[in-house]
Amino acid sequence: FPSHDTVRRYVGRVKRNAERHIRAGSTSVGSGVQQTAYTFTASQAGVVKSIKLDVGVVSSSGGEDVGNLAYALVLVREGYNVNNMTYPALTDDLYNPTNDVLISGVLSGGTLEDHKSNKIGRKMKAGDRIALIFYNVAAATMAGFFELSFSYMT
């Protein structure tokens, strides 16, 4: 038998339940309008992680170049609603509170799509929501689309 000095103890970690979620959709966003889609509501406490977001512009209702569409994927705490975006954000943040922004960006200058990811986990309580916000700063109405995937661990 090995002595007590050489005995190794193995401590098992409790496995957490992980759910994979995939959301997709599109919306028409008028000029100077902010459009919000609540994509997930937590039913119990957990951690959201491995977030991937693809966004783009599929059409424009004017003869102008497509683009100039700001977006943000944000965490909205229970009892609160989405705040307004600020664009252009030269002297202020694109979205406040900034620590609730999971992913953000702007489609401009003819850029038709954007692909971003975030591996940092965020704790959520029951009732917290994830919202995707589009803000159109172009003169024409645009149709924005998105595909969102993430893991939620309880």
Side-chain angles (χ1 to χ4, degrees):
F1 291 101
S3 69
H4 289 291
D5 294 334
T6 60
V7 174
R8 295 183 185 203
R9 296 183 185 181
Y10 294 97
V11 178
R13 290 188 351 183
V14 176
K15 284 197 160 198
R16 300 176 81 176
N17 292 329
E19 303 170 355
R20 189 75 182 154
H21 296 274
I22 299 174
R23 305 286 193 264
S26 64
T27 184
S28 179
V29 186
S31 177
V33 174
Q34 175 174 305
Q35 193 80 348
T36 301
Y38 289 100
T39 59
F40 177 75
T41 301
S43 60
Q44 58 184 329
V47 176
V48 62
K49 60 190 303 185
S50 300
I51 303 166
K52 294 179 183 175
L53 178 64
D54 299 323
V55 296
V57 177
V58 292
S59 67
S60 177
S61 68
E64 297 184 18
D65 192 17
V66 296
N68 299 318
L69 185 70
Y71 66 90
L73 184 69
V74 299
L75 184 59
V76 182
R77 302 296 178 183
E78 181 183 18
Y80 292 91
N81 291 317
V82 167
N83 294 327
N84 290 328
M85 290 181 69
T86 303
Y87 186 83
L90 301 175
T91 59
D92 199 4
D93 295 316
L94 183 68
Y95 184 86
N96 277 307
T98 56
N99 58 332
D100 287 342
V101 176
L102 302 172
I103 295 175
S104 65
V106 177
L107 296 172
S108 64
T111 304
L112 300 178
E113 57 186 60
D114 199 3
H115 311 278
K116 293 192 176 181
S117 63
N118 181 349
K119 295 187 186 270
I120 298 173
R122 295 287 178 94
K123 290 183 179 180
M124 294 179 71
K125 296 178 182 177
D128 289 352
R129 300 173 289 176
I130 295 175
L132 179 61
I133 308 166
F134 285 114
Y135 181 64
N136 182 3
V137 293
T141 298
M142 293 186 203
F145 69 92
F146 73 93
E147 182 177 336
L148 168 67
S149 64
F150 58 93
S151 294
Y152 191 70
M153 301 176 70
T154 56

